[in-house]
Amino acid sequence: MANSQRRITKELAEVTSDPPAGVTVSLANESNVHEWNIMMDGPPGTPYAGGKFKLLLVLPTDYPFKAPTLNFKTKIWHPNVTFDEKGSMCLGMLKGDVWKPSSKIMSILTAAQQLLVEPNPDDAVEASIAQKFKEDKAGFIKEAQEYTKKYAN
Amino acid sequence: MPPPNTPGGSPPDLSPLHITVPPNTPFNHGSPRSRRTRTARNPYSIDENKVYEIGPSDGVDLRCLKYVSEVDENLLCPICHAALVDPVTTPCDHTYCEDCIYTAWKSNPTCPVDRSPLILPGDVATPPKIVLNQLDALKVKCPCCGDTLPRSMLRNHLSRYCSNALVKCPDEVCEKLVKRKDEGKGCLHYDSECPDCKEHLQEIDMESHREVECENREGICQHCSETIIRCKEAEHLKSCPEVMTSCKWTKYGCQHGALRKELDAHANECRFSTVGQMAEMLQAEISTLRDQLHTLNEKDKAQERRIKFLETHPHFNFSDVSSQSVSRLPDSSPTAEFPESRDQYLLSLLESQESKVDQLSVGLTELEAKQTMMLFNETIPIKEQLAELRSAQGVIGMHVRWLMNFRMQERRPGPGAGGSSESGGPGGDGHRRLSDTMRDVITKL
């Protein structure tokens, strides 16, 4: 759909010219506007600070009517991201029934950053990490920092 | 109660404003059409299988346009992030492009901004006129010629005026398209050979090929050895500094010929320059004098005719002729010598009046044409509004009918035979009374 591509190009121009702090965006493949590579710096003041995380944003062909998907390509130890090769992320606004065609990619990126600042243990995909986050904050921070050093450098 | 006007029914008479627009004119293009298709759909059901078209059906996709300045954020559709095209407003007061909201609604029947439930097409309405006017006034670049014009004019511009827009080939048999500016050149869809690179291509593409694409398009001017485009050689020769040209005073006798770049030096010392300038001045003078002479001659002739006329008819009654020119005639001593000149004068009068009438009628036709254009331009928005009103009326009609049906169904399984006879009596009376009053009204009319 031409309309979908037009909107994506417009949003890409917006995000590349004025990205959220600590985020850079590029196309995974210059000829395909539906896959975006995103480099996100770990937000300062969090155990992920200093790490560089690579994410892949995939926009469906019927974007903006269907929600995009956002996956961590860099392993991250976080209650709301699966700790595997997929790096599936549980982001509220990207769920099928919550997604609104009026949402912008810019707001997805800030929401993802916000999730790193404030994990949401009640809606976790990694139960063990969520438990640690709830019960042993200091241990969680330490472990997350270690994994950040290990994978996100 | 009069039957509600159904959307599919015959449109009401628009007599004072109704102008029939012939098919394939720019006046029946554009947004009114898309609105009409919307109202034709049944407001209570939406065809799940129908594919709602993306983009307009008449070839101009307003979303692809280049806007001259940044479009105000409030005029952008939240779905396609482009300036609204055929906007509609939801009951929760959000405005979208018609196509966008239909597509979004098919995957999720709620408002894409606040997720309040939405029923299409019954729930959406046309946004206020001020929004439509703002959208219409957005300045866009014509995709064909690059001219800047208001968005609402674009379709008209493309279908009528744009010199680069594609129109049907003037040849009746040929079915291809040509640019409007080439329309007068006849059918250009035949094979031809580029004189520079010997490539075979259609004549219609030759101009752009020779100017831009052809590998051998550039040649060297044989006079100034500058690189030029071959097909523009003739134009170049007119200004090439190395071409032999004759002095500009040639017609006054200067025999000098030199390269164009050296002519300036010659011009200062040309012996004919004084004569030439003088001659030019004199010529200008002569031509003004000639003009004056001509007008004087005309005046003289007219005066002569008048004198002749007055000489012949000393007792002519001026009040018989209601022409100003006659009443302004000077008194002159009458002598009855030319009995036939009266007819002549009258004939000449008649002629001059006729020519005046001709001028007036030409002026009238011009005014009429202008008036018609203005009328057309003013009628388009009115027609649009009418179509909207008609659709709104249709929707209300449907609502009323539905409510009536609902009421009737509610009443039908009511009380038994006794009850019905009771209610039937006064009902019948009421009916009779109503028809009586109707008859009164009719007789009064």
Side-chain angles (χ1 to χ4, degrees):
Chain A
M1 274 200 295
N3 272 340
S4 141
Q5 294 217 347
R6 237 186 337 266
R7 170 165 164 174
I8 295 174
T9 344
K10 218 171 163 187
E11 290 205 69
L12 183 67
E14 258 174 50
V15 174
T16 42
S17 67
D18 181 23
V23 175
T24 47
V25 173
S26 60
L27 282 184
N29 172 359
E30 282 300 322
S31 59
N32 178 12
V33 293
H34 291 277
E35 285 186 21
W36 296 18
N37 275 337
I38 290 155
M39 289 304 293
M40 192 180 279
D41 293 341
T46 67
Y48 309 105
K52 282 198 180 298
F53 299 92
K54 188 180 172 191
L55 293 93
L56 182 69
L57 181 76
V58 178
L59 303 157
T61 45
D62 41 3
Y63 178 82
F65 304 108
K66 289 281 171 346
T69 54
L70 184 61
N71 290 335
F72 271 88
K73 291 283 129 187
T74 309
K75 263 190 159 185
I76 181 167
W77 201 74
H78 186 283
N80 304 97
V81 184
T82 57
F83 193 61
D84 56 14
E85 295 310 312
K86 275 191 182 161
S88 308
M89 188 178 194
C90 181
L91 200 59
M93 65 186 296
L94 296 185
K95 286 179 187 164
D97 50 338
V98 184
W99 169 252
K100 294 187 290 189
S102 53
S103 310
K104 290 185 175 187
I105 293 174
M106 189 82 91
S107 55
I108 299 174
L109 298 180
T110 39
Q113 258 184 334
Q114 192 55 32
L115 197 67
L116 294 189
V117 179
E118 277 177 59
N120 182 5
D122 299 322
D123 194 16
V125 288
E126 291 287 341
S128 57
I129 305 177
Q131 205 177 351
K132 186 131 197 181
F133 178 77
K134 274 188 197 165
E135 290 162 7
D136 175 15
K137 204 62 172 274
F140 167 82
I141 291 176
K142 199 165 168 250
E143 205 162 334
Q145 276 171 342
E146 274 167 22
Y147 280 113
T148 304
K149 265 188 200 145
K150 188 172 170 193
Y151 295 113
N153 268 319
Chain B
M1 161 170 249
N5 190 18
T6 53
S10 59
D13 187 22
L14 316 166
S15 34
L17 288 166
H18 188 80
I19 292 176
T20 338
V21 178
N24 298 326
T25 64
F27 299 109
N28 66 354
H29 283 276
S31 47
R33 183 201 289 175
S34 61
R35 286 204 188 110
R36 230 167 281 137
T37 41
R38 182 173 83 232
T39 56
R41 294 169 194 156
N42 185 343
Y44 291 103
S45 75
I46 189 156
D47 189 355
E48 286 292 328
N49 299 323
K50 185 173 176 347
V51 179
Y52 290 101
E53 266 177 68
I54 293 285
S57 45
D58 49 2
V60 192
D61 187 348
L62 295 179
R63 284 184 194 83
C64 300
L65 293 175
K66 253 204 184 135
Y67 290 85
V68 174
S69 54
E70 193 102 331
V71 180
D72 188 301
E73 220 170 272
N74 296 307
L75 292 178
L76 296 182
C77 167
I79 298 177
C80 65
H81 290 192
L84 289 157
V85 175
D86 294 334
V88 291
T89 304
T90 59
C92 48
D93 224 2
H94 294 114
T95 306
Y96 307 95
C97 302
E98 192 184 14
D99 292 329
C100 293
I101 187 65
Y102 271 96
T103 323
W105 186 81
K106 282 187 80 188
S107 53
N108 191 359
T110 58
C111 169
V113 169
D114 65 5
R115 258 186 251 119
S116 52
L118 196 64
I119 300 169
L120 289 187
D123 272 359
V124 291
T126 313
K129 192 76 192 160
I130 188 166
V131 175
L132 300 179
N133 287 346
Q134 276 182 303
L135 288 168
D136 281 348
L138 288 175
K139 290 271 192 301
V140 296
K141 275 207 153 77
C142 170
C144 296
C145 64
D147 276 2
T148 304
L149 63 164
R151 195 174 81 164
S152 57
M153 308 276 250
L154 184 70
R155 285 192 170 109
N156 195 13
H157 167 77
L158 283 175
S159 59
R160 283 211 142 178
Y161 305 110
C162 181
S163 58
N164 279 347
L166 294 175
V167 293
K168 204 201 150 290
C169 180
D171 189 292
E172 276 176 27
V173 193
C174 180
E175 298 203 331
K176 291 180 178 152
L177 299 170
V178 291
K179 285 186 178 172
R180 182 171 282 119
K181 62 178 174 190
D182 294 334
E183 212 179 4
K185 297 183 187 166
C187 181
L188 298 174
H189 296 107
Y190 56 85
D191 279 336
S192 179
E193 191 188 72
C194 171
D196 303 330
C197 66
K198 307 294 172 210
E199 199 180 302
H200 283 268
L201 64 158
Q202 295 244 296
E203 180 65 25
I204 188 140
D205 302 321
M206 192 60 84
E207 200 181 316
S208 66
H209 169 80
R210 291 195 64 185
E211 273 176 32
V212 186
E213 290 153 18
C214 179
E215 284 174 6
N216 295 339
R217 68 179 184 276
E218 285 179 350
I220 301 225
C221 173
Q222 52 180 338
H223 302 289
C224 66
S225 58
E226 214 171 90
T227 325
I228 51 163
I229 289 174
R230 281 175 206 256
C231 59
K232 300 260 164 122
E233 194 172 353
E235 287 159 40
H236 171 75
L237 283 183
K238 280 184 197 154
S239 58
C240 178
E242 300 282 345
V243 172
M244 283 293 282
T245 2
S246 43
C247 175
K248 68 170 172 177
W249 306 119
T250 317
K251 60 177 168 180
Y252 304 114
C254 180
Q255 305 281 325
H256 188 85
L259 299 179
R260 184 170 280 123
K261 57 176 179 183
E262 286 159 11
L263 262 187
D264 278 344
H266 165 74
N268 292 334
E269 61 199 32
C270 180
R271 278 172 294 149
F272 290 89
S273 68
T274 3
V275 186
Q277 277 166 11
M278 200 61 163
E280 266 180 10
M281 218 172 70
L282 286 176
Q283 248 175 5
E285 194 106 321
I286 288 170
S287 69
T288 44
L289 285 175
R290 263 195 198 135
D291 284 348
Q292 279 176 7
L293 188 67
H294 185 71
T295 39
L296 282 176
N297 261 341
E298 292 286 307
K299 267 190 193 164
D300 188 37
K301 272 185 199 163
Q303 299 287 3
E304 225 163 76
R305 273 203 298 268
R306 279 180 202 172
I307 292 168
K308 266 186 195 170
F309 172 73
L310 286 172
E311 278 172 346
T312 351
H313 309 283
H315 307 299
F316 185 73
N317 190 355
F318 291 115
S319 61
D320 281 356
V321 183
S322 58
S323 167
Q324 284 186 338
S325 54
V326 176
S327 59
R328 267 197 257 111
L329 279 180
D331 284 332
S332 56
S333 54
T335 40
E337 270 181 79
F338 309 101
E340 77 278 14
S341 66
R342 175 189 182 182
D343 297 337
Q344 262 183 11
Y345 181 64
L346 278 179
L347 272 175
S348 73
L349 258 185
L350 192 69
E351 267 171 30
S352 73
Q353 295 301 339
E354 259 175 6
S355 71
K356 266 185 197 165
V357 168
D358 278 350
Q359 278 175 6
L360 280 175
S361 65
V362 167
L364 261 181
T365 20
E366 266 173 31
L367 275 176
E368 213 171 30
K370 269 187 200 163
Q371 200 71 28
T372 331
M373 274 309 291
M374 264 170 59
L375 194 66
F376 263 127
N377 285 340
E378 276 172 26
T379 327
I380 299 165
I382 295 175
K383 282 189 79 181
E384 249 172 65
Q385 277 179 337
L386 260 178
E388 277 161 31
L389 281 178
R390 221 184 299 160
S391 79
Q393 195 199 356
V395 171
I396 291 170
M398 290 297 285
H399 278 102
V400 169
R401 258 211 318 200
W402 182 78
L403 275 175
M404 290 281 288
N405 275 335
F406 190 64
R407 270 286 166 78
M408 268 141 99
Q409 275 172 358
E410 233 177 39
R411 230 181 252 180
R412 215 167 286 153
S420 74
S421 73
E422 262 175 40
S423 66
D429 279 346
H431 218 80
R432 211 167 299 140
R433 235 172 279 137
L434 196 71
S435 59
D436 282 348
T437 46
M438 281 300 286
R439 211 173 296 142
D440 283 347
V441 170
I442 290 165
T443 42
K444 265 180 207 161
L445 282 175

